[in-house]
Amino acid sequence: MAIEETLVICKPDAVRRGLVGEVIARLERKGLTIEEMRLMRIDRDLAERHYAEHRDKAFYGDLVGFITSGDVAVARVSGESAISVVRTLMGPTDPVEAPPGTIRGDFATVITENLVHGSDSPESAKRELDLFFG
């Protein structure tokens, strides 16, 4: 096992619903460390770069539209196997399939507003952390 860094985004629905503290608390209770965090508004250019891998997919416009629709909380998170730990805590992308006890299983109901984003690989974590934290 290795110490990793990953990006976590509490999406606009999480911010609007006051769930940022709940999400961060779950990460910390699991033993992960919040290295850096800030509230921000993602502009269209940053959203398009963040979601570039999905550019040719039908849902791309909705992804960009949603992530730019309100404030988000972005966090640089570190810890043992942080990428897979965060992804397990989040639960599957579709909240209907997310088991109770996961963030999406406990708080989300629709796939288009699923509260959180977490990097899915060391390569995407590096790319995303560079985008959001330089």
Side-chain angles (χ1 to χ4, degrees):
M1 302 257 191
I3 300 293
E4 297 176 328
E5 282 193 331
T6 190
L7 177 75
V8 173
I9 302 174
C10 295
K11 296 179 183 180
D13 54 333
V15 174
R16 276 194 295 273
R17 292 176 56 198
L19 293 171
V20 174
E22 176 70 32
V23 170
I24 297 305
R26 286 179 182 222
L27 299 175
E28 290 180 325
R29 284 196 305 264
K30 189 70 176 176
L32 299 173
T33 302
I34 308 305
E35 300 291 348
E36 194 174 351
M37 185 174 168
R38 72 174 179 275
L39 192 65
M40 66 179 290
R41 190 72 170 256
I42 298 176
D43 64 27
R44 184 164 192 82
D45 176 63
L46 179 56
E48 288 176 351
R49 287 185 287 143
H50 175 63
Y51 287 128
E53 68 201 56
H54 301 299
R55 188 176 309 278
D56 296 328
K57 297 182 179 147
F59 56 82
Y60 175 74
D62 291 336
L63 276 178
V64 171
F66 176 62
I67 203 73
T68 59
S69 70
D71 289 340
V72 300
V74 296
R76 176 188 300 271
V77 178
S78 69
E80 284 284 333
S81 303
I83 295 166
S84 58
V85 169
V86 166
R87 299 207 43 97
T88 299
L89 288 171
M90 291 188 319
T93 303
D94 185 347
V96 172
E97 299 172 4
T102 64
I103 293 164
R104 291 171 174 153
D106 289 349
F107 301 110
T109 58
V110 294
I111 196 167
T112 54
E113 295 193 12
N114 62 11
L115 301 169
V116 289
H117 165 84
S119 305
D120 64 5
S121 69
E123 298 76 26
S124 66
K126 181 182 181 343
R127 184 181 67 79
E128 293 172 352
L129 287 166
D130 286 346
L131 277 175
F132 286 92
F133 289 101

